Amino acid sequence: MGHDHHGQPHGCDHNHSSHGDVGKGLALAFFLNLSFAIVEVIGGLYTNSIAILSDALHDFGDASALGLAWYLEKFSGKKADRTHSYGYRRYSLLSALITSTVLVCGSIVVAWRAFDRILHPEPVKAGGMMILAIVGILVNGFAFKVTHRGHSHNEKAISLHLLEDVLGWVAVLIASIVMIFVNAPWLDPALSLAISVYILWGAIKRIRETSLVFLQTVPSDVDLVAVRSTILDVADVASVEDFHVWSTDGSQIIVTLSVRRKSPASDASTLRREISKALGNLAHHHVTIEILDSSETVHGCETL
C-alpha cells in the first residue's frame, strides 16, 4: 500500500502574490466606497433623490463588507498550522457569505423605501443626480478594475458588488438625463426598486454558491462520474474507492481517492503518475492517491 501527494501541499498558498494584489485592491475599494458613501448622503439630501440615498446606504454596507473582506482575504493567505491543516483559505468564503448577506439586507430595505416613494413621488433635482451619477461611475468603475482579478468566492462577491454599483449609476445617469427634460419623479424610486431587485437576485445566487462550497459539494465544473470512469480506464486499476472531490474556497480543488490495483507486482509510482495524468487539470491542485492491493481494506465514507 502507498500514499502519494500531487500538486501543492495542504494549506500552501500558491497564489501568494495575487493575495497581496487583491488585498491592496480591496483596501483601495474600501476607502473609495466609504468616502463616496458620505458624498452620496450629502448629494442625496440635496437632490431629494431616494435612489441616491438608497445607494448611499448600500455603499455604507459595501464599505463595511469591503473592510471585512480586506481583513479576511489577507487572513486567508496564512499557511497551514496545527489548527488549520489546509490553511486559512476558507475564511475567504466566510467573508463572501457575510458580504452577500449584507447586500441582501440592504437591498430589502432599499426596495421597501423605493416602493413607498413610488406611491408618494416627490420632485428631485435631476441636474445634481446627473453629476453624482458621473462621479459614481468613475469611482465604482475604478474600484471594480482593481478588484476583479481575483478568483475566490470572496473576490467574486466583492467584484459583483462593484460591477452592480457601476451599472446602477449608469441607470441613474440615464434616468437623470430623462428627468431633466420630462417631469417624471416616479422614475427615481422605480429605478431604485429595479436596482435593488437586481442586486438581491445576484446576492442570493452568490450565497447559494458559497454555501455549496462550505458544504463541500463537488465543484460544478467537475463531472465525478466521468472522472471516475477515466481513472478506471487506466491500466492495472481494478477499482476506485473512497473517491472525494471538493474545494476549500471555490478555486483550490482537493482530491482524495483509493485505487485498488489488479497486480500487486506492478509499480505503484508508475500507477500514480498514470492516474494523475488521467485526472488532468484536477492534478494541478491537491491530490492524494492511496494504492491498495486486493487483500487490503479502505476505511472511509461511501462514495459514488
Side-chain angles (χ1 to χ4, degrees), residues 53-82:
L53 286 174
S54 298
D55 199 75
L57 173 64
H58 172 71
D59 273 353
F60 273 120
D62 270 1
S64 300
L66 280 164
L68 179 65
W70 175 23
Y71 171 74
L72 289 181
E73 193 65 37
K74 292 176 64 178
F75 191 70
S76 69
K78 293 179 63 177
K79 296 183 182 299
D81 55 26
R82 288 182 296 178

Side-chain angles (χ1 to χ4, degrees), residues 229-288:
S229 178
T230 301
I231 296 173
L232 286 171
D233 288 338
V234 175
D236 201 38
V237 172
S239 65
V240 178
E241 305 169 26
D242 202 28
F243 183 29
H244 304 282
V245 181
W246 57 283
S247 177
T248 53
D249 63 348
S251 59
Q252 182 189 56
I253 295 177
I254 307 296
V255 182
T256 62
L257 69 155
S258 298
V259 172
R260 197 173 298 279
R261 55 185 172 181
K262 297 176 182 177
S263 173
S266 62
D267 183 66
S269 296
T270 300
L271 181 57
R272 292 189 188 104
R273 285 195 296 271
E274 290 298 317
I275 294 172
S276 294
K277 183 178 179 181
L279 286 171
N281 291 333
L282 294 182
H284 294 295
H285 294 271
H286 189 100
V287 181
T288 300

Side-chain angles (χ1 to χ4, degrees), residues 4 10 48 84 88 107 109 126 133 162 178 192 200 234 236 241 246-247 251 259 261 264 266 302:
D4 191 28
H10 286 190
N48 195 34
H84 294 70
Y88 289 74
S107 297
V109 171
L162 296 172
V178 171
S192 177
L200 184 63
V234 175
D236 201 38
E241 305 169 26
W246 57 283
S247 177
S251 59
V259 172
R261 55 185 172 181
S266 62
E302 290 185 3

Side-chain angles (χ1 to χ4, degrees), residues 55 58 133 136-138 140-141 144 159-175 191 194-195 198-199:
D55 199 75
H58 172 71
I137 292 171
L138 294 174
N140 287 283
F144 171 75
S159 183
L160 173 66
H161 294 182
L162 296 172
L163 177 60
E164 287 167 346
D165 283 347
V166 173
L167 296 176
W169 280 113
V170 169
V172 170
L173 177 62
I174 295 173
L191 176 62
I195 294 172
Y198 177 73
I199 291 174

Side-chain angles (χ1 to χ4, degrees), residues 186-209:
W186 57 267
L187 190 58
D188 175 61
L191 176 62
S192 177
L193 182 61
I195 294 172
S196 299
V197 171
Y198 177 73
I199 291 174
L200 184 63
W201 173 260
I204 291 175
K205 181 181 178 182
R206 182 62 60 194
I207 288 175
R208 178 183 179 277
E209 293 174 351

